[in-house]
Amino acid sequence: MEIVLIGSGSVATHLGLALQSKGIIIKQVFSRNPANAESLATKLGTTFVDDIADLYMDADIYIYALKDSALKSVLRKMNIPNGIHVHTAGSIPMSDFESFTSRFGVFYPLQSFSIKKEVDFREVPICIEASSPEIEQILFNLAKLLTDKIYLINSEQRKRLHLAAVFACNFTNYMYDIASQILDDSDINFEVIQPLIAETAEKIKTLSPYEAQTGPAVRFDETTIARHLHMLNKSPEISKIYSLLSKDIHNRHKGN
Amino acid sequence: MEIVLIGSGSVATHLGLALQSKGIIIKQVFSRNPANAESLATKLGTTFVDDIADLYMDADIYIYALKDSALKSVLRKMNIPNGIHVHTAGSIPMSDFESFTSRFGVFYPLQSFSIKKEVDFREVPICIEASSPEIEQILFNLAKLLTDKIYLINSEQRKRLHLAAVFACNFTNYMYDIASQILDDSDINFEVIQPLIAETAEKIKTLSPYEAQTGPAVRFDETTIARHLHMLNKSPEISKIYSLLSKDIHNRHKGN
């Protein structure tokens, strides 16, 4: 099986390396940024192009790992090859391919990738959607090379999943960031709090987040909440977050 | 060394079991709730009292693992023994002991404990403060039985640490809870998102949370943000959280 990667960011990089390690041929990398394209092509020991007119036309699958806003504009400039076209995005409906090709799908690895950090794909859920049962089977087999965590998720569900991921990943990380700022201000090393962060993530493997909720807000400990808000009086933004989340946690749990 | 546990909740339980497993004698459990006191005493194979007048007077250390609001009221009712008196609370200053005894301190295990879930104390940081260098040494030696993660943290720092923990644990868990609600509404199993949660917690072992920040807010992807807010239009509280956190993340990262 031959694959062309459209894009050269962290998803393209990790996915390309993982597929190649399973014997899939990465035939070419395309990126509008020649330096990035070359860098990824070098990692993969393959060729790259930065002009879409030079795209290899005979691959089995074209994987578009692009910024959300770039997919359609790249497709518009292309002479569309016959292969299967899939994107890797959480928030783009599969139908964005419809006016360009009849053989398409989605291959969405639900993980937060960084260029610098290695990824164990066995731990990465891959969410699949396809324009036909035949293509679904091909994508399923491709995903199966990498992971057992394969989910058939339609475009409407995937939109919601992406929204949930913003809370579970992006906003969660921002909570860590605020904690880190508070510790910095008191000359406390962030490492003191890392075991708590690890345990908080670990707990929801056996308890639902609703059951796992602890803290002054859930028991509506007004004395502690008032003391915390007083400590935050020089940080109006963080104070606002503290108040809003405490109120909502209390509302969700009151009466229990 | 003989210890009396004042309190019978999850901190008292886990700490009692862990210390006992290291050869420390848990001489007695006191709790105002006789059923809880008996339950913990049974786990520890020791005695319990529910009347503070029956407190064992010759222990080396009295560990107060109580609700924040209960410490002083319990102390007021006690005939104070000669031993060392320590509490386990993040948000109570050590000085709350001052008018009752001259030998006191804090022994604060920074972890989120649940009665149901076992704890590996080697992974639990213990924050120590004491009324004298001699008592600090005793508490350090006691902590050393359980963990290598021992920190000398004064009352002012501990208050801030506790505040940071609310963000890193309680509010983080609430982000998981919101993600879980969004997935439930679309019939998507919460397990799909668990590897992302694990990786988000894992990342900040090697990157600062500031460096690890990803998502539509940090790149100020207004199209995605607007689409997400539209999806949340029937959940005004969650929508408000989404807007506030996105704005603050953007403000913190703009100009980079």
Side-chain angles (χ1 to χ4, degrees), chain A residues 191, chain B residues 121-126 140 143-151:
Chain A
E191 70 172 26
Chain B
F121 258 91
R122 286 169 306 180
E123 286 305 313
V124 178
I126 295 182
F140 186 91
K144 197 83 178 76
L145 295 173
L146 304 177
T147 183
D148 291 330
K149 300 179 194 290
I150 304 172
Y151 299 90

Side-chain angles (χ1 to χ4, degrees), chain B residues 5-16:
Chain B
L5 286 176
I6 319 264
S8 56
S10 57
V11 175
T13 302
H14 289 296
L15 203 50

Side-chain angles (χ1 to χ4, degrees), chain A residues 236-248:
Chain A
E237 296 81 11
I238 297 177
S239 184
K240 204 167 161 187
I241 293 170
Y242 187 101
S243 295
L244 180 61
L245 297 182
S246 293
K247 180 171 67 67
D248 286 358

Side-chain angles (χ1 to χ4, degrees), chain A residues 110 125 149 151, chain B residues 183 188-196:
Chain A
L110 179 59
K149 300 178 195 291
Y151 298 91
Chain B
L183 297 178
I188 304 170
N189 195 314
F190 185 62
E191 71 173 27
V192 181
I193 215 164
Q194 280 177 346
L196 179 65

Side-chain angles (χ1 to χ4, degrees), chain B residues 152-205:
Chain B
L152 299 179
I153 297 278
N154 65 35
S155 289
E156 188 54 37
Q157 287 176 310
R158 197 174 55 255
K159 261 166 57 180
R160 309 277 303 177
L161 183 54
H162 185 252
L163 172 60
V166 169
F167 283 90
C169 170
N170 307 149
F171 290 167
T172 286
N173 184 76
Y174 189 53
M175 297 299 114
Y176 302 160
D177 188 18
I178 293 173
S180 155
Q181 293 175 57
I182 293 169
L183 297 178
D184 274 355
D185 287 346
S186 301
D187 290 320
I188 304 170
N189 195 314
F190 185 62
E191 71 173 27
V192 181
I193 215 164
Q194 280 177 346
L196 179 65
I197 286 173
E199 176 67 12
T200 302
E202 186 66 27
K203 260 193 186 170
I204 48 91
K205 292 180 183 170

